[in-house]
Amino acid sequence: MSSPLSRGKASTFYPRKSGKKYSAAGVAEMLGVSDNTARNDLRTLVRENLLTEISENDQKTVYRVSQDLS
């Protein structure tokens, strides 16, 4: 099974602005994929140092754009 990044759906999700936050659920809805698929793709972007994984209120994990990518 391929991810949205490999299927070309990433063009609809291109995080650019430094500091902008994304949730797995929000990205999943944007791309029309499951929360798990979105979360896996977001974690891939974390490993590539494009996003930073942070916890909000010690419960929800969000992903913040590491640097301005525009």
Side-chain angles (χ1 to χ4, degrees):
M1 178 194 259
S2 62
S3 73
L5 295 175
S6 62
R7 287 195 313 254
K9 286 193 172 187
S11 61
T12 60
F13 173 68
Y14 184 71
R16 297 176 192 210
K17 267 196 172 170
S18 181
K20 175 109 172 111
K21 295 177 188 175
Y22 298 93
S23 68
V27 171
E29 184 176 325
M30 234 189 301
L31 297 178
V33 298
S34 72
D35 286 4
N36 283 336
T37 297
R39 190 173 296 105
N40 288 336
D41 288 345
L42 288 165
R43 287 180 177 158
T44 297
L45 295 173
V46 168
R47 285 192 300 274
E48 293 176 5
N49 295 318
L50 297 172
L51 298 178
T52 303
E53 188 175 275
I54 57 174
S55 292
E56 284 193 340
N57 303 324
D58 294 325
Q59 293 178 3
K60 182 177 179 180
T61 300
V62 294
Y63 300 85
R64 184 177 58 214
V65 179
S66 300
Q67 56 188 338
D68 192 350
L69 303 174
S70 12

Short mmCIF file of all heavy atoms in Angstrom, two decimals:
data_model
loop_
_atom_site.label_atom_id
_atom_site.label_comp_id
_atom_site.label_asym_id
_atom_site.label_seq_id
_atom_site.Cartn_x
_atom_site.Cartn_y
_atom_site.Cartn_z
N MET A 1 0.85 -1.18 0.00
CA MET A 1 0.00 0.00 0.00
C MET A 1 0.90 1.24 0.00
O MET A 1 1.82 1.35 0.78
CB MET A 1 -0.89 -0.02 1.24
CG MET A 1 -1.77 1.19 1.33
SD MET A 1 -2.51 1.37 2.96
CE MET A 1 -4.12 0.76 2.62
N SER A 2 0.61 2.17 -0.89
CA SER A 2 1.44 3.37 -0.97
C SER A 2 0.84 4.49 -0.12
O SER A 2 -0.34 4.49 0.19
CB SER A 2 1.57 3.82 -2.42
OG SER A 2 0.31 4.14 -2.93
N SER A 3 1.67 5.44 0.24
CA SER A 3 1.22 6.56 1.04
C SER A 3 0.81 7.71 0.14
O SER A 3 1.11 7.71 -1.04
CB SER A 3 2.35 7.01 1.97
OG SER A 3 3.32 7.68 1.21
N PRO A 4 0.11 8.73 0.68
CA PRO A 4 -0.25 9.89 -0.13
C PRO A 4 0.97 10.56 -0.74
O PRO A 4 0.90 11.10 -1.82
CB PRO A 4 -0.95 10.82 0.84
CG PRO A 4 -1.38 9.98 1.96
CD PRO A 4 -0.42 8.82 2.02
N LEU A 5 2.10 10.52 -0.02
CA LEU A 5 3.30 11.14 -0.55
C LEU A 5 3.74 10.46 -1.84
O LEU A 5 4.14 11.11 -2.79
CB LEU A 5 4.43 11.09 0.48
CG LEU A 5 4.21 11.90 1.75
CD1 LEU A 5 5.35 11.67 2.72
CD2 LEU A 5 4.07 13.36 1.45
N SER A 6 3.63 9.13 -1.88
CA SER A 6 4.06 8.41 -3.07
C SER A 6 2.98 8.37 -4.14
O SER A 6 3.27 8.10 -5.29
CB SER A 6 4.49 6.99 -2.71
OG SER A 6 3.42 6.27 -2.17
N ARG A 7 1.72 8.68 -3.78
CA ARG A 7 0.64 8.70 -4.76
C ARG A 7 0.43 10.08 -5.35
O ARG A 7 -0.47 10.29 -6.14
CB ARG A 7 -0.67 8.24 -4.12
CG ARG A 7 -0.72 6.78 -3.83
CD ARG A 7 -2.14 6.33 -3.53
NE ARG A 7 -2.82 7.17 -2.59
CZ ARG A 7 -3.08 6.86 -1.33
NH1 ARG A 7 -2.69 5.71 -0.84
NH2 ARG A 7 -3.73 7.69 -0.56
N GLY A 8 1.21 11.06 -4.93
CA GLY A 8 1.07 12.40 -5.48
C GLY A 8 0.07 13.29 -4.77
O GLY A 8 -0.14 14.41 -5.17
N LYS A 9 -0.57 12.80 -3.71
CA LYS A 9 -1.52 13.64 -2.99
C LYS A 9 -0.81 14.70 -2.15
O LYS A 9 -1.46 15.60 -1.66
CB LYS A 9 -2.41 12.79 -2.10
CG LYS A 9 -3.45 12.03 -2.85
CD LYS A 9 -4.48 11.47 -1.91
CE LYS A 9 -5.63 10.87 -2.69
NZ LYS A 9 -6.70 10.49 -1.80
N ALA A 10 0.48 14.57 -1.99
CA ALA A 10 1.20 15.54 -1.16
C ALA A 10 1.11 16.93 -1.76
O ALA A 10 1.29 17.92 -1.07
CB ALA A 10 2.66 15.13 -1.00
N SER A 11 0.83 17.03 -3.05
CA SER A 11 0.71 18.35 -3.66
C SER A 11 -0.44 19.14 -3.04
O SER A 11 -0.44 20.36 -3.08
CB SER A 11 0.52 18.24 -5.17
OG SER A 11 -0.67 17.52 -5.44
N THR A 12 -1.43 18.45 -2.47
CA THR A 12 -2.52 19.15 -1.80
C THR A 12 -2.16 19.48 -0.36
O THR A 12 -2.85 20.23 0.29
CB THR A 12 -3.82 18.32 -1.81
OG1 THR A 12 -3.59 17.09 -1.14
CG2 THR A 12 -4.29 18.06 -3.22
N PHE A 13 -1.09 18.89 0.14
CA PHE A 13 -0.60 19.19 1.49
C PHE A 13 0.88 19.50 1.37
O PHE A 13 1.72 18.62 1.27
CB PHE A 13 -0.80 18.00 2.43
CG PHE A 13 -0.15 18.22 3.77
CD1 PHE A 13 -0.63 19.19 4.64
CD2 PHE A 13 0.94 17.47 4.16
CE1 PHE A 13 -0.02 19.40 5.87
CE2 PHE A 13 1.54 17.68 5.38
CZ PHE A 13 1.06 18.64 6.24
N TYR A 14 1.18 20.78 1.34
CA TYR A 14 2.57 21.20 1.27
C TYR A 14 2.81 22.19 2.40
O TYR A 14 2.50 23.37 2.26
CB TYR A 14 2.87 21.82 -0.09
CG TYR A 14 4.33 22.17 -0.26
CD1 TYR A 14 5.28 21.18 -0.39
CD2 TYR A 14 4.73 23.49 -0.26
CE1 TYR A 14 6.61 21.49 -0.53
CE2 TYR A 14 6.07 23.82 -0.41
CZ TYR A 14 6.99 22.82 -0.54
OH TYR A 14 8.32 23.13 -0.68
N PRO A 15 3.31 21.71 3.53
CA PRO A 15 3.54 22.61 4.67
C PRO A 15 4.66 23.59 4.38
O PRO A 15 5.77 23.19 4.06
CB PRO A 15 3.92 21.65 5.81
CG PRO A 15 4.47 20.45 5.13
CD PRO A 15 3.77 20.35 3.81
N ARG A 16 4.37 24.88 4.44
CA ARG A 16 5.37 25.88 4.07
C ARG A 16 5.74 26.85 5.19
O ARG A 16 6.88 27.19 5.33
CB ARG A 16 4.86 26.72 2.89
CG ARG A 16 4.65 25.91 1.66
CD ARG A 16 4.06 26.76 0.58
NE ARG A 16 3.61 25.91 -0.49
CZ ARG A 16 3.59 26.26 -1.73
NH1 ARG A 16 3.94 27.44 -2.09
NH2 ARG A 16 3.17 25.42 -2.64
N LYS A 17 4.76 27.34 5.91
CA LYS A 17 5.01 28.41 6.88
C LYS A 17 5.58 27.88 8.18
O LYS A 17 4.99 27.03 8.82
CB LYS A 17 3.72 29.16 7.17
CG LYS A 17 3.52 30.34 6.31
CD LYS A 17 2.47 31.23 6.91
CE LYS A 17 2.47 32.50 6.10
NZ LYS A 17 1.39 33.35 6.41
N SER A 18 6.71 28.42 8.56
CA SER A 18 7.34 28.04 9.81
C SER A 18 6.40 28.30 10.98
O SER A 18 5.77 29.35 11.05
CB SER A 18 8.63 28.84 10.00
OG SER A 18 9.26 28.46 11.18
N GLY A 19 6.28 27.31 11.87
CA GLY A 19 5.44 27.45 13.05
C GLY A 19 4.02 26.97 12.88
O GLY A 19 3.32 26.76 13.84
N LYS A 20 3.54 26.80 11.65
CA LYS A 20 2.18 26.31 11.41
C LYS A 20 2.06 24.89 11.94
O LYS A 20 2.97 24.10 11.81
CB LYS A 20 1.87 26.34 9.92
CG LYS A 20 0.55 25.75 9.54
CD LYS A 20 -0.42 26.80 9.11
CE LYS A 20 -1.67 26.14 8.54
NZ LYS A 20 -2.82 26.31 9.35
N LYS A 21 0.92 24.59 12.59
CA LYS A 21 0.73 23.28 13.20
C LYS A 21 -0.32 22.48 12.43
O LYS A 21 -1.30 23.03 11.94
CB LYS A 21 0.27 23.43 14.65
CG LYS A 21 1.29 24.08 15.53
CD LYS A 21 0.73 24.25 16.93
CE LYS A 21 1.67 25.06 17.80
NZ LYS A 21 1.07 25.32 19.11
N TYR A 22 -0.09 21.16 12.37
CA TYR A 22 -1.01 20.24 11.70
C TYR A 22 -1.25 19.05 12.62
O TYR A 22 -0.35 18.58 13.29
CB TYR A 22 -0.40 19.72 10.40
CG TYR A 22 -0.14 20.81 9.39
CD1 TYR A 22 1.10 21.43 9.33
CD2 TYR A 22 -1.14 21.22 8.51
CE1 TYR A 22 1.33 22.44 8.39
CE2 TYR A 22 -0.90 22.21 7.58
CZ TYR A 22 0.34 22.82 7.53
OH TYR A 22 0.57 23.81 6.62
N SER A 23 -2.47 18.54 12.60
CA SER A 23 -2.78 17.30 13.31
C SER A 23 -2.93 16.18 12.30
O SER A 23 -3.22 16.43 11.12
CB SER A 23 -4.08 17.44 14.10
OG SER A 23 -5.18 17.55 13.22
N ALA A 24 -2.75 14.96 12.74
CA ALA A 24 -2.93 13.81 11.85
C ALA A 24 -4.37 13.77 11.33
O ALA A 24 -4.60 13.52 10.15
CB ALA A 24 -2.57 12.52 12.57
N ALA A 25 -5.33 14.05 12.20
CA ALA A 25 -6.74 14.02 11.79
C ALA A 25 -7.02 15.09 10.73
O ALA A 25 -7.73 14.83 9.75
CB ALA A 25 -7.65 14.21 12.99
N GLY A 26 -6.46 16.27 10.90
CA GLY A 26 -6.67 17.35 9.93
C GLY A 26 -6.06 17.04 8.58
O GLY A 26 -6.68 17.28 7.53
N VAL A 27 -4.85 16.48 8.59
CA VAL A 27 -4.19 16.11 7.34
C VAL A 27 -4.93 14.95 6.68
O VAL A 27 -5.12 14.93 5.47
CB VAL A 27 -2.70 15.77 7.58
CG1 VAL A 27 -2.06 15.18 6.35
CG2 VAL A 27 -1.95 17.02 8.03
N ALA A 28 -5.40 13.99 7.49
CA ALA A 28 -6.15 12.86 6.95
C ALA A 28 -7.40 13.34 6.23
O ALA A 28 -7.71 12.88 5.13
CB ALA A 28 -6.52 11.90 8.08
N GLU A 29 -8.10 14.28 6.83
CA GLU A 29 -9.31 14.82 6.21
C GLU A 29 -8.97 15.56 4.92
O GLU A 29 -9.65 15.43 3.91
CB GLU A 29 -10.03 15.74 7.19
CG GLU A 29 -11.35 16.26 6.65
CD GLU A 29 -12.10 17.09 7.67
OE1 GLU A 29 -12.02 16.78 8.88
OE2 GLU A 29 -12.76 18.05 7.25
N MET A 30 -7.90 16.36 4.95
CA MET A 30 -7.47 17.13 3.78
C MET A 30 -7.15 16.21 2.59
O MET A 30 -7.48 16.52 1.46
CB MET A 30 -6.19 17.91 4.14
CG MET A 30 -6.25 19.37 3.88
SD MET A 30 -4.63 20.17 4.10
CE MET A 30 -4.21 19.83 5.78
N LEU A 31 -6.49 15.08 2.89
CA LEU A 31 -6.01 14.19 1.83
C LEU A 31 -6.97 13.04 1.53
O LEU A 31 -6.77 12.30 0.57
CB LEU A 31 -4.64 13.61 2.21
CG LEU A 31 -3.51 14.61 2.37
CD1 LEU A 31 -2.24 13.90 2.80
CD2 LEU A 31 -3.28 15.38 1.08
N GLY A 32 -7.97 12.85 2.39
CA GLY A 32 -8.90 11.74 2.18
C GLY A 32 -8.29 10.38 2.46
O GLY A 32 -8.54 9.42 1.75
N VAL A 33 -7.46 10.32 3.51
CA VAL A 33 -6.81 9.06 3.91
C VAL A 33 -7.11 8.80 5.38
O VAL A 33 -7.69 9.65 6.06
CB VAL A 33 -5.27 9.11 3.68
CG1 VAL A 33 -4.96 9.30 2.19
CG2 VAL A 33 -4.63 10.21 4.50
N SER A 34 -6.70 7.66 5.89
CA SER A 34 -6.93 7.35 7.31
C SER A 34 -5.99 8.17 8.20
O SER A 34 -4.96 8.67 7.75
CB SER A 34 -6.69 5.86 7.57
OG SER A 34 -5.31 5.57 7.50
N ASP A 35 -6.38 8.29 9.47
CA ASP A 35 -5.53 8.99 10.44
C ASP A 35 -4.16 8.33 10.53
O ASP A 35 -3.14 9.01 10.62
CB ASP A 35 -6.17 9.01 11.83
CG ASP A 35 -7.34 9.98 11.93
OD1 ASP A 35 -7.71 10.60 10.91
OD2 ASP A 35 -7.87 10.12 13.04
N ASN A 36 -4.12 6.99 10.51
CA ASN A 36 -2.85 6.28 10.62
C ASN A 36 -1.93 6.57 9.44
O ASN A 36 -0.73 6.75 9.61
CB ASN A 36 -3.06 4.78 10.76
CG ASN A 36 -3.49 4.39 12.15
OD1 ASN A 36 -3.23 5.11 13.11
ND2 ASN A 36 -4.16 3.26 12.27
N THR A 37 -2.50 6.62 8.24
CA THR A 37 -1.70 6.93 7.05
C THR A 37 -1.14 8.34 7.16
O THR A 37 0.05 8.57 6.91
CB THR A 37 -2.54 6.78 5.77
OG1 THR A 37 -2.95 5.42 5.66
CG2 THR A 37 -1.76 7.18 4.54
N ALA A 38 -1.98 9.28 7.55
CA ALA A 38 -1.52 10.67 7.70
C ALA A 38 -0.43 10.76 8.77
O ALA A 38 0.59 11.42 8.58
CB ALA A 38 -2.70 11.57 8.07
N ARG A 39 -0.64 10.08 9.89
CA ARG A 39 0.34 10.10 10.99
C ARG A 39 1.68 9.52 10.52
O ARG A 39 2.74 10.09 10.81
CB ARG A 39 -0.20 9.32 12.18
CG ARG A 39 0.61 9.47 13.44
CD ARG A 39 -0.07 8.80 14.63
NE ARG A 39 -1.35 9.44 14.94
CZ ARG A 39 -2.55 8.94 14.67
NH1 ARG A 39 -2.67 7.76 14.10
NH2 ARG A 39 -3.64 9.60 14.99
N ASN A 40 1.64 8.41 9.79
CA ASN A 40 2.88 7.82 9.28
C ASN A 40 3.60 8.76 8.33
O ASN A 40 4.83 8.90 8.38
CB ASN A 40 2.59 6.49 8.58
CG ASN A 40 2.22 5.39 9.54
OD1 ASN A 40 2.58 5.44 10.72
ND2 ASN A 40 1.48 4.41 9.06
N ASP A 41 2.84 9.42 7.46
CA ASP A 41 3.46 10.36 6.53
C ASP A 41 4.02 11.58 7.26
O ASP A 41 5.10 12.08 6.92
CB ASP A 41 2.46 10.79 5.46
CG ASP A 41 2.17 9.68 4.47
OD1 ASP A 41 2.93 8.69 4.44
OD2 ASP A 41 1.18 9.78 3.74
N LEU A 42 3.31 12.07 8.27
CA LEU A 42 3.81 13.20 9.05
C LEU A 42 5.10 12.82 9.77
O LEU A 42 6.06 13.59 9.81
CB LEU A 42 2.75 13.67 10.05
CG LEU A 42 1.56 14.40 9.41
CD1 LEU A 42 0.41 14.49 10.41
CD2 LEU A 42 1.97 15.78 8.93
N ARG A 43 5.15 11.60 10.29
CA ARG A 43 6.38 11.15 10.97
C ARG A 43 7.54 11.00 9.99
O ARG A 43 8.69 11.22 10.35
CB ARG A 43 6.11 9.84 11.70
CG ARG A 43 5.26 10.06 12.94
CD ARG A 43 4.98 8.79 13.68
NE ARG A 43 4.23 9.07 14.89
CZ ARG A 43 3.49 8.20 15.52
NH1 ARG A 43 3.40 6.95 15.08
NH2 ARG A 43 2.85 8.53 16.62
N THR A 44 7.24 10.65 8.75
CA THR A 44 8.28 10.62 7.71
C THR A 44 8.85 12.02 7.51
O THR A 44 10.07 12.20 7.41
CB THR A 44 7.72 10.08 6.38
OG1 THR A 44 7.29 8.73 6.58
CG2 THR A 44 8.76 10.13 5.28
N LEU A 45 7.98 13.02 7.49
CA LEU A 45 8.44 14.41 7.33
C LEU A 45 9.23 14.87 8.56
O LEU A 45 10.15 15.68 8.43
CB LEU A 45 7.26 15.33 7.06
CG LEU A 45 6.54 15.07 5.72
CD1 LEU A 45 5.28 15.92 5.62
CD2 LEU A 45 7.46 15.31 4.55
N VAL A 46 8.91 14.33 9.73
CA VAL A 46 9.69 14.63 10.94
C VAL A 46 11.09 14.05 10.77
O VAL A 46 12.09 14.74 11.05
CB VAL A 46 9.01 14.05 12.21
CG1 VAL A 46 9.94 14.09 13.40
CG2 VAL A 46 7.72 14.80 12.50
N ARG A 47 11.19 12.81 10.31
CA ARG A 47 12.52 12.18 10.11
C ARG A 47 13.35 12.94 9.08
O ARG A 47 14.57 12.94 9.15
CB ARG A 47 12.35 10.73 9.69
CG ARG A 47 11.95 9.81 10.82
CD ARG A 47 12.07 8.34 10.46
NE ARG A 47 11.25 7.96 9.33
CZ ARG A 47 9.97 7.59 9.41
NH1 ARG A 47 9.36 7.58 10.58
NH2 ARG A 47 9.30 7.24 8.33
N GLU A 48 12.69 13.60 8.14
CA GLU A 48 13.39 14.38 7.13
C GLU A 48 13.63 15.82 7.58
O GLU A 48 14.06 16.67 6.81
CB GLU A 48 12.61 14.35 5.82
CG GLU A 48 12.58 12.96 5.21
CD GLU A 48 11.72 12.86 3.97
OE1 GLU A 48 11.20 13.90 3.48
OE2 GLU A 48 11.57 11.73 3.47
N ASN A 49 13.35 16.10 8.86
CA ASN A 49 13.56 17.40 9.49
C ASN A 49 12.75 18.53 8.86
O ASN A 49 13.15 19.69 8.92
CB ASN A 49 15.05 17.77 9.52
CG ASN A 49 15.84 16.83 10.37
OD1 ASN A 49 15.40 16.46 11.46
ND2 ASN A 49 16.99 16.40 9.87
N LEU A 50 11.62 18.20 8.25
CA LEU A 50 10.74 19.22 7.69
C LEU A 50 9.67 19.63 8.69
O LEU A 50 9.18 20.75 8.65
CB LEU A 50 10.09 18.72 6.40
CG LEU A 50 11.08 18.41 5.27
CD1 LEU A 50 10.35 17.75 4.11
CD2 LEU A 50 11.78 19.68 4.83
N LEU A 51 9.30 18.70 9.58
CA LEU A 51 8.33 18.97 10.64
C LEU A 51 8.93 18.59 11.98
O LEU A 51 9.86 17.78 12.04
CB LEU A 51 7.05 18.16 10.43
CG LEU A 51 6.23 18.40 9.18
CD1 LEU A 51 5.03 17.46 9.14
CD2 LEU A 51 5.78 19.84 9.07
N THR A 52 8.37 19.16 13.04
CA THR A 52 8.74 18.82 14.40
C THR A 52 7.51 18.27 15.09
O THR A 52 6.43 18.87 14.99
CB THR A 52 9.24 20.06 15.16
OG1 THR A 52 10.34 20.63 14.44
CG2 THR A 52 9.69 19.71 16.56
N GLU A 53 7.65 17.14 15.77
CA GLU A 53 6.53 16.54 16.50
C GLU A 53 6.50 17.12 17.90
O GLU A 53 7.50 17.10 18.60
CB GLU A 53 6.73 15.02 16.55
CG GLU A 53 5.57 14.26 17.11
CD GLU A 53 5.78 12.77 17.02
OE1 GLU A 53 5.48 12.21 15.96
OE2 GLU A 53 6.27 12.19 18.01
N ILE A 54 5.36 17.66 18.31
CA ILE A 54 5.23 18.24 19.64
C ILE A 54 3.93 17.78 20.28
O ILE A 54 2.99 17.39 19.60
CB ILE A 54 5.28 19.79 19.61
CG1 ILE A 54 4.19 20.36 18.71
CG2 ILE A 54 6.64 20.28 19.18
CD1 ILE A 54 4.09 21.86 18.74
N SER A 55 3.89 17.81 21.60
CA SER A 55 2.67 17.46 22.34
C SER A 55 2.02 18.74 22.84
O SER A 55 2.70 19.63 23.34
CB SER A 55 3.01 16.58 23.54
OG SER A 55 3.44 15.33 23.12
N GLU A 56 0.71 18.80 22.68
CA GLU A 56 -0.04 19.93 23.22
C GLU A 56 -0.86 19.43 24.39
O GLU A 56 -1.57 18.43 24.27
CB GLU A 56 -0.96 20.52 22.15
CG GLU A 56 -0.23 21.35 21.15
CD GLU A 56 -1.17 22.18 20.28
OE1 GLU A 56 -2.36 21.85 20.19
OE2 GLU A 56 -0.68 23.14 19.70
N ASN A 57 -0.75 20.09 25.50
CA ASN A 57 -1.49 19.73 26.72
C ASN A 57 -1.21 18.29 27.15
O ASN A 57 -2.08 17.63 27.69
CB ASN A 57 -2.99 19.94 26.52
CG ASN A 57 -3.32 21.35 26.13
OD1 ASN A 57 -2.69 22.29 26.59
ND2 ASN A 57 -4.28 21.51 25.24
N ASP A 58 -0.03 17.79 26.87
CA ASP A 58 0.39 16.43 27.23
C ASP A 58 -0.54 15.35 26.70
O ASP A 58 -0.57 14.24 27.22
CB ASP A 58 0.54 16.29 28.75
CG ASP A 58 1.67 17.14 29.29
OD1 ASP A 58 2.68 17.28 28.58
OD2 ASP A 58 1.53 17.64 30.41
N GLN A 59 -1.34 15.65 25.68
CA GLN A 59 -2.26 14.66 25.15
C GLN A 59 -2.18 14.55 23.64
O GLN A 59 -1.93 13.49 23.10
CB GLN A 59 -3.70 15.00 25.54
CG GLN A 59 -3.95 14.89 27.01
CD GLN A 59 -5.38 15.28 27.36
OE1 GLN A 59 -6.18 15.58 26.50
NE2 GLN A 59 -5.69 15.27 28.64
N LYS A 60 -2.40 15.63 22.94
CA LYS A 60 -2.51 15.60 21.49
C LYS A 60 -1.14 15.87 20.85
O LYS A 60 -0.45 16.80 21.23
CB LYS A 60 -3.50 16.67 21.04
CG LYS A 60 -3.72 16.70 19.55
CD LYS A 60 -4.77 17.74 19.22
CE LYS A 60 -4.98 17.80 17.73
NZ LYS A 60 -5.98 18.79 17.37
N THR A 61 -0.79 15.04 19.89
CA THR A 61 0.44 15.26 19.13
C THR A 61 0.11 16.09 17.91
O THR A 61 -0.82 15.79 17.17
CB THR A 61 1.06 13.93 18.69
OG1 THR A 61 1.36 13.16 19.85
CG2 THR A 61 2.34 14.15 17.90
N VAL A 62 0.85 17.16 17.72
CA VAL A 62 0.71 17.98 16.52
C VAL A 62 2.08 18.07 15.87
O VAL A 62 3.11 17.76 16.47
CB VAL A 62 0.15 19.39 16.82
CG1 VAL A 62 -1.27 19.33 17.31
CG2 VAL A 62 1.03 20.15 17.78
N TYR A 63 2.07 18.49 14.64
CA TYR A 63 3.30 18.57 13.85
C TYR A 63 3.45 20.01 13.39
O TYR A 63 2.53 20.59 12.82
CB TYR A 63 3.22 17.61 12.66
CG TYR A 63 3.03 16.19 13.13
CD1 TYR A 63 1.78 15.68 13.42
CD2 TYR A 63 4.14 15.37 13.34
CE1 TYR A 63 1.60 14.39 13.90
CE2 TYR A 63 3.97 14.07 13.81
CZ TYR A 63 2.71 13.59 14.09
OH TYR A 63 2.55 12.32 14.55
N ARG A 64 4.62 20.59 13.69
CA ARG A 64 4.88 21.99 13.36
C ARG A 64 5.94 22.05 12.28
O ARG A 64 6.92 21.31 12.31
CB ARG A 64 5.34 22.73 14.62
CG ARG A 64 5.54 24.21 14.39
CD ARG A 64 5.93 24.93 15.66
NE ARG A 64 7.16 24.33 16.18
CZ ARG A 64 7.44 24.20 17.47
NH1 ARG A 64 6.60 24.61 18.38
NH2 ARG A 64 8.57 23.68 17.85
N VAL A 65 5.75 22.97 11.34
CA VAL A 65 6.73 23.18 10.28
C VAL A 65 8.01 23.70 10.93
O VAL A 65 7.99 24.67 11.67
CB VAL A 65 6.20 24.16 9.21
CG1 VAL A 65 7.25 24.39 8.14
CG2 VAL A 65 4.91 23.62 8.60
N SER A 66 9.12 23.01 10.65
CA SER A 66 10.40 23.32 11.29
C SER A 66 11.00 24.63 10.82
O SER A 66 11.61 25.36 11.57
CB SER A 66 11.39 22.19 11.06
OG SER A 66 10.92 21.00 11.59
N GLN A 67 10.85 24.91 9.53
CA GLN A 67 11.43 26.12 8.97
C GLN A 67 10.57 26.59 7.82
O GLN A 67 9.76 25.85 7.30
CB GLN A 67 12.85 25.84 8.47
CG GLN A 67 12.92 24.70 7.46
CD GLN A 67 14.33 24.31 7.14
OE1 GLN A 67 15.24 25.09 7.32
NE2 GLN A 67 14.52 23.12 6.64
N ASP A 68 10.73 27.84 7.44
CA ASP A 68 9.93 28.39 6.34
C ASP A 68 10.37 27.73 5.04
O ASP A 68 11.54 27.81 4.65
CB ASP A 68 10.11 29.91 6.26
CG ASP A 68 9.11 30.57 5.36
OD1 ASP A 68 8.39 29.85 4.63
OD2 ASP A 68 9.05 31.80 5.37
N LEU A 69 9.45 27.02 4.37
CA LEU A 69 9.78 26.27 3.17
C LEU A 69 9.29 26.93 1.90
O LEU A 69 9.33 26.33 0.84
CB LEU A 69 9.18 24.85 3.27
CG LEU A 69 9.63 24.05 4.48
CD1 LEU A 69 8.86 22.74 4.55
CD2 LEU A 69 11.11 23.78 4.44
N SER A 70 8.82 28.19 1.97
CA SER A 70 8.31 28.83 0.76
C SER A 70 9.42 29.30 -0.14
O SER A 70 10.53 29.35 0.15
CB SER A 70 7.42 30.00 1.04
OG SER A 70 7.40 30.47 2.31
#
